Structures are given as structure tokens and as C-alpha cells.
Amino acid sequence: MPNQSVAHSVSRLANEIRHRLDACSAHSGLSGAQGRALHFILAQEEPVYQRDIEEEFGLRPSTVTELLKKMEQNGLIYRKAEASDSRLKRIGVTEAALAHQRQVVADLKELEDELTRGISPGQLMVFSEVIEKMSENLSGQPRQDMD
């Protein structure tokens, strides 16, 4: 049995990852939260809405609203009402955000490579299965496959 609790170990790793992403964002002149949100938005292939960011980061709607307002003011994103429901606003990226994309992708790849260095594909598969099960245990319901 490890010396530290599982929750402590996961929390520590999450903090280390967050600090690394924040440092990458700072190089681009973004706050950590803006950088993380931009990383998420740029990585998506489907349209992104405010609720997607709320769910991804476990944030309250009011927190995400303020974050998106700042990103809009900084010229990184725009919000466009959907024709079918004007209350639903699709988040789009500006040319300024796209200029960050190459660096964002490079930063994420470097982080992923560093995180997984020396870990076999089989170990990574077990890790993913364990993390998913822990998430299920906390949420009380099986997570849907995102593939």
C-alpha cells in the first residue's frame, strides 16, 4: 500500500499538471484559466458551448461566464447565438487564438510525452481504466465512452 492516499496522489498530480499548463499559458500572455479553457476549445472537433467548459473543468456557470467575458475582451473568442435557440451560444476562436494553436498543441504534446515517459502502453491502459473507475465511483454512475 502506498504511503499516501490515492486522493492525495491524484490531487498532487493534478496540481503539477495545472501548474505546468499555467506556465505554458503565461508565455502566451494568458491567465492560467484562460489558457486551460483555450487549450480545451482548440482541441475540440465538435462545437463548444459554455456548458462544455463547465463540465470539463467542474466550474459554476457564473465562473465560466466571467472567464468567457475576459477571453472575449482579450480577443481570443467570440460567442454566436445558435439559430435554433438564441440562448445557446457557440464559442468560436478568433485569429488571435488560432495564432496560439501551434504552441498549444506543442505544449500539450510535450506534457503528454513527459507524463508518459517510461510507461508502457499496457500500464497506460490500466491507468486509464482505474481513473475511469474512480471517476465513476465519485459520480455514482458509469461514464459514457467518449470514443
Side-chain angles (χ1 to χ4, degrees):
M1 186 80 187
N3 291 336
Q4 298 177 353
S5 73
V6 170
H8 178 78
S9 296
V10 170
S11 178
R12 197 169 126 219
L13 178 60
N15 283 334
E16 290 173 15
I17 292 169
R18 188 172 22 263
H19 289 301
R20 183 67 59 90
L21 290 173
D22 288 352
C24 293
S25 297
H27 289 130
S28 300
L30 307 173
S31 73
Q34 288 180 17
R36 286 190 298 276
L38 186 58
H39 286 177
F40 174 74
I41 294 166
L42 288 170
Q44 304 311 302
E45 294 181 12
E46 298 293 321
V48 177
Y49 302 93
Q50 179 169 329
R51 72 169 179 268
D52 298 321
I53 295 171
E54 293 166 12
E55 291 172 9
E56 177 68 18
F57 297 105
L59 298 172
R60 293 187 311 249
S62 59
T63 302
V64 175
T65 296
E66 287 305 310
L67 173 64
L68 294 176
K69 278 183 189 176
K70 286 181 180 160
M71 292 178 73
E72 209 167 15
Q73 289 168 355
N74 291 339
L76 296 170
I77 65 161
Y78 60 89
R79 292 182 275 184
K80 181 178 180 186
E82 289 286 6
S84 61
D85 184 350
S86 62
R87 295 170 298 169
L88 194 57
K89 307 251 186 311
R90 180 188 302 209
I91 299 168
V93 294
T94 64
E95 289 297 321
L98 290 173
H100 292 288
Q101 188 167 24
R102 182 176 290 161
Q103 188 61 48
V104 165
V105 169
D107 290 344
L108 292 176
K109 177 159 181 15
E110 182 180 330
L111 177 61
E112 188 74 14
D113 290 347
E114 190 172 348
L115 277 169
T116 59
R117 184 175 41 241
I119 302 172
S120 73
Q123 290 171 313
L124 287 172
M125 185 177 295
V126 170
F127 174 78
S128 294
E129 291 169 356
V130 169
I131 289 291
E132 285 297 317
K133 181 60 179 160
M134 288 178 178
S135 186
E136 284 177 21
N137 290 345
L138 290 178
S139 72
Q141 50 188 278
R143 293 179 58 103
Q144 295 186 0
D145 193 6
M146 302 299 278
D147 293 324

